Amino acid sequence: MTSSPNKTKKATTTMESMMDSEEDAIDDDDDEEQTLQGDEETTSITIVDDLYPKGLPDSNSIIKHSTIPPSGFDQSQISSSFTPEDIERLKLSPDNVTVPIALMLLWPDQYGSQTKARKECRRRKILVHKGPLLEVPGEGGGKKLTFDRERLALVKVIDRVKPGETLAIQTRMTHNYSECKNHHKSAPFHLPIIYQDDHVAIVNKPEGFVVFSHKHGGFGRENVYSCLPWVLEPPKAGVVSVLRRPSPVHRIDRGTSGLLVVAKTKPAMVELGLAFKERRVKKTYTAIVNGDIKEPKETSISSDEAKKLGVCIGNERETTSWQLIEHALEEQSAVTIWRPLRRWPLENARNDTVSLVELKPKTGRYHQLRRHMAWVRGCPLLGDKSYDGGGLAKTLRNEGFYLCSNKVTLEHPFYHTRTPAGKKEWDLNKRKITKEMESLDGNSHITEEEDGTILIHCEIDLPAKFGEVEVVTHSDKIK
């Protein structure tokens, strides 16, 4: 078993079950200054977005590079990093090592294992420059080192490198999603964009479509993940760690419509995954339930109490009454805040009545809202064949169930103080960013809080089928 030069902690995210971020992400490094080691001295080169050396092919750019010292690697470093068995098996010496081993010795924080280093080689992300780098005139009469493309080549896992040779990491600095579209000429279905920038997007998923296709098939292209490359703009050149294909960071049921958050970069994927895991994303759903839903006094709470529970109440008065459901699902805590909005008479419904309700989940258990309404309040979602109990409810299933994720508030995954570059970009472009949002579908806006937090707020209209349920007079609205 191979030991690593530096055992670094691997960040875990809630997205591991959705995708292998190592396979789908373009790993990048945001260091602006890289160092090239020459035979005699070290020359520092400052690299900016439009000056990254071209890789192989020309659509790639070199973002990091390091020259193996003229005397080779330090023997003590090799001995302390790898077992005697590995040294013997791979025939490692200071002046002759395999490419994966060289990557681990040059960048131990980035390549903590041979598996990771080998993957990078197979993905055609590692180049080798045979012989010394070219010395060309620099600014102010100085000099700089550059690559001779005649000596530049893609490596193989079995290749070995020697002193004086340079290893380089390349990635794409311009991005497009055309390669994800394969041979198809159009998107599989219409997917409205509610918000998007270079890092994150929020789309309005139609009812009847899954977010991801089943592992063993079943929906083909008829899923949000397949549709995203057609509708979203790729990040502009220079944005680092761009995902090869934009990916949703959470799921909503096939029968549920509404807002779905999508990451465009690997850092955004991590930040958003953590935000969902820590329940910092505030979601609001609207549903029509089967029955005249009751509001028990013992489970009634005020808006102020609801806010303390961590749900987004907005500008509601503190005297507004809400209902609290605390009912575990699969032995896990499950909390829903809800309130009724209005009622309609409807034939074949329970008590010949249906109710429009607003729901704010604090947790995100499987079918939480559907099961809480059916099992705790005794009013399943209208048309929900899984939980409506059958009987006359079967006659109300023609349009599917009535549930829409129509509001969401979340912290921007890049424009925050934890990322100085993101905060700087926001400060420089906040007016432009705000203006661009005016051209998008739906009601979306972005705000800066007193503590510097940048929040995205999105809201959409309810689907047309909500309005097609028989409506009663204004006097039937809940006071």
Side-chain angles (χ1 to χ4, degrees):
M1 181 174 179
T2 304
S3 59
S4 61
N6 267 343
K7 293 185 178 180
T8 57
K9 294 181 180 180
K10 295 183 179 180
T12 59
T13 74
T14 57
M15 306 312 301
E16 290 178 352
S17 62
M18 294 187 183
M19 61 178 289
D20 180 355
S21 60
E22 295 295 343
E23 289 293 336
D24 294 313
I26 302 173
D27 293 325
D28 209 335
D29 194 291
D30 56 2
D31 294 339
E32 292 185 351
E33 186 171 78
Q34 310 295 340
T35 298
L36 291 171
Q37 292 183 312
D39 289 349
E40 302 296 333
E41 60 185 313
T42 298
T43 302
S44 180
I45 299 178
T46 300
I47 299 179
V48 295
D49 290 343
D50 60 346
L51 293 179
Y52 284 106
K54 287 184 178 181
L56 296 176
D58 288 352
S59 57
N60 288 335
S61 297
I62 295 172
I63 58 169
K64 182 182 283 189
H65 33 261
S66 185
T67 299
I68 299 171
S71 58
F73 293 104
D74 188 88
Q75 180 62 53
S76 62
Q77 183 185 9
I78 296 176
S79 300
S80 63
S81 301
F82 305 97
T83 64
E85 291 78 11
D86 282 335
I87 294 174
E88 175 64 25
R89 178 174 58 85
L90 298 173
K91 296 180 172 53
L92 304 181
S93 64
D95 60 355
N96 192 337
V97 300
T98 63
V99 170
I101 296 298
L103 292 174
M104 295 173 66
L105 294 171
L106 291 171
W107 297 293
D109 290 338
Q110 186 167 349
Y111 299 104
S113 68
Q114 287 194 61
T115 299
K116 175 72 179 292
R118 291 187 188 115
K119 282 183 178 181
E120 298 294 89
C121 296
R122 295 189 183 106
R123 292 173 190 155
R124 305 170 66 85
K125 294 180 66 174
I126 307 300
L127 303 173
V128 63
H129 186 277
K130 300 289 186 178
L133 296 167
L134 291 178
E135 187 175 299
V136 297
E139 295 182 0
K143 61 182 180 180
K144 66 177 183 179
L145 300 176
T146 189
F147 291 91
D148 181 353
R149 292 183 63 79
E150 297 295 325
R151 299 181 179 181
L152 200 60
L154 287 163
V155 303
K156 297 179 180 178
V157 172
I158 61 173
D159 288 347
R160 306 181 78 88
V161 289
K162 299 178 180 179
E165 295 181 343
T166 298
L167 286 178
I169 304 171
Q170 67 172 358
T171 189
R172 291 178 300 172
M173 295 299 287
T174 57
H175 315 284
N176 66 74
Y177 297 144
S178 60
E179 64 187 45
C180 303
K181 301 175 183 178
N182 298 321
H183 60 279
H184 302 290
K185 296 182 179 181
S186 62
F189 56 90
H190 178 59
L191 186 65
I193 304 169
I194 308 304
Y195 173 86
Q196 76 166 322
D197 55 35
D198 289 327
H199 310 276
V200 62
I202 299 175
V203 298
N204 182 4
K205 184 191 87 70
E207 174 192 353
F209 294 96
V210 295
V211 176
F212 293 93
S213 184
H214 288 179
K215 184 176 181 180
H216 299 293
F219 292 99
R221 297 178 65 226
E222 300 294 310
N223 63 85
V224 175
Y225 186 56
S226 295
C227 192
L228 290 173
W230 294 92
V231 300
L232 295 182
E233 291 292 330
K236 64 178 180 292
V239 176
V240 298
S241 297
V242 174
L243 294 171
R244 297 187 186 279
R245 179 197 294 260
S247 179
V249 296
H250 64 115
R251 301 172 188 255
I252 55 180
D253 293 339
R254 180 186 181 189
T256 304
S257 61
L259 299 172
L260 186 72
V261 182
V262 177
K264 291 186 176 184
T265 69
K266 187 176 179 181
M269 175 75 80
V270 173
E271 285 284 342
L272 292 168
L274 189 61
F276 274 94
K277 182 178 180 180
E278 296 177 348
R279 312 300 179 196
R280 290 185 280 113
V281 179
K282 312 302 182 185
K283 297 175 289 183
T284 299
Y285 290 77
T286 300
I288 297 178
V289 298
N290 189 347
D292 185 2
I293 195 164
K294 304 303 180 184
E295 302 173 77
K297 289 185 178 180
E298 58 269 22
T299 56
S300 178
I301 61 174
S302 68
S303 291
D304 187 51
E305 291 173 311
K307 289 178 182 178
K308 290 179 181 178
L309 288 172
V311 298
C312 183
I313 300 301
N315 297 320
E316 299 293 341
R317 301 184 303 276
E318 292 188 5
T319 55
T320 300
S321 176
W322 291 82
Q323 286 288 310
L324 171 66
I325 296 177
E326 291 183 288
H327 180 82
L329 299 171
E330 282 80 43
E331 299 183 351
Q332 290 184 304
S333 170
V335 180
T336 300
I337 310 298
W338 68 276
R339 65 172 178 170
L341 299 176
R342 60 182 300 175
R343 298 182 176 93
W344 297 271
L346 186 66
E347 187 178 357
N348 292 336
R350 298 184 181 187
N351 302 317
D352 290 325
T353 304
V354 293
S355 305
L356 183 71
V357 296
E358 184 177 45
L359 306 117
K360 295 178 180 290
K362 178 176 172 59
T363 52
R365 308 304 176 200
Y366 176 72
H367 289 181
Q368 176 177 315
L369 301 180
R370 297 165 63 183
R371 293 197 282 179
H372 272 178
M373 289 293 100
W375 296 352
V376 181
R377 298 308 326 136
C379 292
L381 267 60
L382 185 66
D384 190 348
K385 65 181 181 180
S386 297
Y387 303 105
D388 64 12
L392 288 176
K394 291 182 179 179
T395 64
L396 304 173
R397 294 176 177 176
N398 293 338
E399 299 298 326
F401 59 81
Y402 289 72
L403 181 63
C404 177
S405 173
N406 60 312
K407 296 179 186 177
V408 68
T409 298
L410 68 154
E411 182 180 355
H412 196 283
F414 184 67
Y415 301 146
H416 51 67
T417 55
R418 298 186 301 279
T419 305
K423 188 63 168 64
K424 181 179 179 181
E425 182 176 325
W426 165 256
D427 290 338
L428 291 174
N429 301 306
K430 62 176 68 178
R431 291 185 179 178
K432 179 183 177 182
I433 294 169
T434 303
K435 186 174 182 180
E436 287 175 347
M437 296 183 69
E438 298 174 358
S439 62
L440 299 172
D441 296 331
N443 176 18
S444 59
H445 63 283
I446 193 165
T447 61
E448 183 172 9
E449 305 301 294
E450 292 183 359
D451 62 357
T453 301
I454 310 301
L455 296 178
I456 302 172
H457 311 264
C458 289
E459 182 176 358
I460 57 173
D461 294 332
L462 296 176
K465 75 174 189 178
F466 277 69
E468 293 168 359
V469 177
E470 185 179 355
V471 181
V472 297
T473 61
H474 181 75
S475 61
D476 288 307
K477 287 186 179 180
I478 294 175
K479 302 298 184 184

